[in-house]
Amino acid sequence: SQWHEPLSRVCIESMSLGTPVISTPTGGSPEIVKDRETGLIFENVEELSSCLAEIQSQDLRDKLSRNSEQEIVHNFNEKKIKNVWIKLYQEKCSI
């Protein structure tokens, strides 16, 4: 990304398809990309290089893929998102 996004849809969309994500710890990414659980986090070029080498492991890719799909299904499902929006509207509109 060209700027620090509050929460990257690219990460969410990729993770929902089981694609392992390698991300920086900026914006909202650390909330969904948990290092070595649902993806890999890097802070500099050396760490990025290390992450790219590490992601070559099929076992690691499988683990990250499985965990990332579960994270998205659990935290970004339609019902949960709908309830968040309803609550937000109720709070802001004093309903």
Side-chain angles (χ1 to χ4, degrees):
S1 181
Q2 296 177 353
W3 56 83
H4 298 288
E5 297 183 70
L7 184 58
S8 173
R9 279 193 6 219
V10 170
C11 288
I12 295 170
E13 291 168 355
S14 295
M15 291 171 68
S16 73
L17 296 172
T19 303
V21 171
I22 300 174
S23 177
T24 59
T26 57
S29 293
E31 293 179 34
I32 60 169
V33 182
K34 296 171 181 75
D35 196 32
R36 289 176 175 58
E37 291 179 37
T38 61
L40 298 176
I41 300 288
F42 72 94
E43 294 197 37
N44 55 49
V45 174
E46 291 81 19
E47 289 180 8
L48 173 58
S49 178
S50 178
C51 287
L52 291 171
E54 198 174 342
I55 201 74
Q56 300 305 310
S57 163
Q58 183 68 47
D59 289 340
L60 179 61
R61 284 195 315 273
D62 289 346
K63 173 188 164 186
L64 297 177
S65 177
R66 213 175 26 256
N67 290 347
S68 63
E69 281 183 272
Q70 291 172 357
E71 175 79 10
I72 299 305
V73 166
H74 178 71
N75 290 311
F76 291 89
N77 63 66
E78 181 181 346
K79 183 178 180 180
K80 191 166 197 167
I81 297 298
K82 182 175 84 174
N83 288 337
V84 168
W85 279 103
I86 289 171
K87 183 179 177 184
L88 179 66
Y89 281 122
Q90 288 172 337
E91 289 172 1
K92 298 300 178 187
C93 298
S94 300
I95 295 175

